[in-house]
């Protein structure tokens, strides 16, 4: 069986990826510190998958990848593939605690790359980054453009982008064995309701109103979480550089609210808010992944958005 390490494999996005690889016969080691956003309840569910014929085996290690003990844990498991997704990803927290965020995320990424370059059987290391590394966007950013992070979280992720290039270029054991993804906003089941689309759903169901930062004019692109596992598998096999992962479909918060009200026939209550360190517009160009792999989303955003709100 193929072996893969997934850091942050119990989080919103990568729990779906963990499930995908287990179902496809991979032995999966998940490294997760069970911090906010993790879903430890899924361990039992994943255990049920491993009882099925043709499925892989789950190994769960509760640990923080910023600890140096991460390196021997990974090298002992000796995987062919690594997906490094674990990070402190809360922008508001990173603004309040910049040193903790930057140290934890940077140390974690260093540990993963240090472990990877010791693996004789490694086929691919995939580093998961974010569109926020581009900073404020006045046009759709391509993968060859300068990184201009403007908050501590984005800064820490851009460090990983540069580290990947340096390690791939410097160490023969990693030459052409690394790949990077820059995600736009991912939404779907298990997402924290502090994020905008779950916050809209929560407000529609009578919960806390949506807090409108900058008057609701913030613009983001969106992709449904169900698209991510197959993309990860594709890039682990065929990717060898940086790829923007986006459907190219984007909306302001105000537009999302308008569409949500039309879909549900309900009013979305809002309150004014302000968020320091917030870029108003993230826009990526998804041409590279579309052309190189003939990739396109399985379903349009609006279909998935409607289904999510009505579920």
């Amino acid at each position: 069986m193929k072996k893969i390490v997934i850091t942050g494999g119990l989080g919103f996005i990568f729990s779906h990826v963990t499930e995908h690889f287990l179902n496809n016969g991979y032995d999966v080691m998940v490294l997760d510190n069970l911090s906010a956003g993790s879903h430890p309840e899924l361990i039992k569910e994943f255990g049920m998958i491993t009882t099925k014929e043709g499925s892989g085996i789950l190994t769960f290690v509760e640990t923080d990848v910023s600890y140096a003990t991460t390196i021997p844990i990974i090298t002992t498991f000796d995987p062919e593939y690594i997906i490094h997704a674990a990070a402190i990803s809360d922008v508001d927290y990173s603004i309040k605690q910049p040193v903790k965020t930057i140290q934890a995320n940077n140390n974690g990424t260093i540990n993963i790359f240090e472990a990877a370059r010791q693996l004789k059987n490694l086929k691919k290391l995939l580093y998961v980054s974010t569109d926020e590394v581009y900073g404020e966007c006045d046009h759709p950013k391509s993968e060859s453009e300068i990184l201009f992070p403007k908050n501590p979280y984005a800064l820490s992720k851009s460090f990983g982008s540069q580290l990947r290039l340096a390690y791939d270029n410097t160490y023969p054991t990693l030459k052409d064995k690394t790949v990077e993804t820059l995600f736009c906003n991912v939404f779907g089941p298990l997402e924290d309701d502090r994020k905008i689309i779950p916050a809209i759903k929560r407000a529609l169901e009578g919960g806390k109103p949506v807090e409108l930062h900058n008057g609701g004019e913030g613009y983001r692109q969106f992709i449904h979480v169900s698209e991510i596992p197959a993309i990860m598998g594709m890039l682990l096999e065929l990717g060898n550089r940086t790829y923007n992962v986006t459907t190219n479909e984007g909306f302001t918060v105000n537009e999302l609210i308008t569409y949500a009200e039309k879909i549900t026939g309900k009013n979305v209550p809002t309150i004014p808010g302000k968020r320091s360190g917030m870029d108003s517009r993230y826009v990526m160009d998804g041409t590279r992944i579309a052309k190189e792999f003939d990739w396109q989303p399985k379903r349009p955003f609006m279909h998935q958005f409607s289904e999510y709100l009505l579920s």
Side-chain angles (χ1 to χ4, degrees), residues 90-200:
D90 187 319
V91 174
D92 292 328
Y93 177 87
S94 80
I95 292 168
K96 295 174 184 176
Q97 298 287 347
V99 175
K100 288 183 179 180
T101 300
I102 293 168
Q103 286 181 340
N105 289 353
N106 290 6
N107 288 344
T109 300
I110 290 170
N111 287 338
I112 298 304
F113 276 79
E114 277 295 288
R117 74 185 185 94
Q118 297 178 34
L119 297 173
K120 294 181 180 179
N121 296 317
L122 182 74
K123 293 182 178 179
K124 195 67 60 69
L125 163 58
L126 191 156
Y127 172 64
V128 178
S129 190
T130 170
D131 56 4
E132 296 193 37
V133 299
Y134 290 123
E136 191 74 49
C137 300
D138 58 3
H139 66 278
K141 295 296 183 78
S142 70
E143 294 88 345
S144 61
E145 296 194 59
I146 190 171
L147 304 185
F148 199 68
K150 292 172 65 181
N151 64 64
Y153 163 64
L155 171 64
S156 70
K157 298 307 290 185
S158 68
F159 167 80
S161 301
Q162 301 301 324
L163 185 77
R164 183 189 74 81
L165 293 173
Y167 270 54
D168 194 305
N169 181 67
T170 303
Y171 300 108
T173 53
L174 289 182
K175 183 65 176 175
D176 297 326
K177 291 184 178 181
T178 70
V179 61
E180 178 181 1
T181 58
L182 278 67
F183 286 175
C184 65
N185 279 30
V186 183
F187 76 100
L190 302 180
E191 187 177 12
D192 191 320
D193 70 4
R194 291 174 297 176
K195 305 299 184 179
I196 186 57
I197 290 182
I200 291 172

Side-chain angles (χ1 to χ4, degrees), residues 200 204 254-268 302 305-306 309-310:
I200 291 172
L204 285 166
N254 288 332
E255 288 172 333
L256 288 175
I257 289 173
T258 298
Y259 288 127
E261 291 178 336
K262 289 180 179 179
I263 290 165
T264 64
K266 299 179 181 179
N267 179 62
V268 177
M302 205 53 67
F305 183 51
S306 300
L309 293 178
L310 297 172

Side-chain angles (χ1 to χ4, degrees), residues 236-301:
L236 283 176
E237 293 298 328
L238 302 172
N240 62 359
R241 50 180 176 164
T242 301
Y243 298 89
N244 291 337
V245 177
T246 178
T247 61
N248 297 312
E249 292 186 275
F251 309 89
T252 67
V253 172
N254 288 332
E255 288 172 333
L256 288 175
I257 289 173
T258 298
Y259 288 127
E261 291 178 336
K262 289 180 179 179
I263 290 165
T264 64
K266 299 179 181 179
N267 179 62
V268 177
T270 64
I271 55 175
K274 186 176 182 180
R275 183 187 192 187
S276 62
M278 176 182 173
D279 296 312
S280 63
R281 188 176 181 88
Y282 294 136
V283 191
M284 295 193 297
D285 180 354
T287 300
R288 175 178 288 180
I289 194 171
K291 283 191 172 181
E292 286 193 15
F293 304 109
D294 194 26
W295 179 84
Q296 59 182 354
K298 298 171 188 173
R299 293 190 296 160
F301 166 82

Side-chain angles (χ1 to χ4, degrees), residues 8-12 14-15 18 30-48 58 60-63 190:
L10 294 180
F12 153 53
F14 282 87
S15 60
T18 295
V30 169
L31 305 183
D32 198 295
N33 66 358
L34 304 185
S35 58
S38 292
H39 294 274
E41 72 276 8
L42 293 176
I43 296 173
K44 184 177 180 180
E45 182 178 322
F46 292 157
M48 295 298 293
L58 174 69
F60 169 62
V61 181
E62 182 179 353
T63 187
L190 302 180

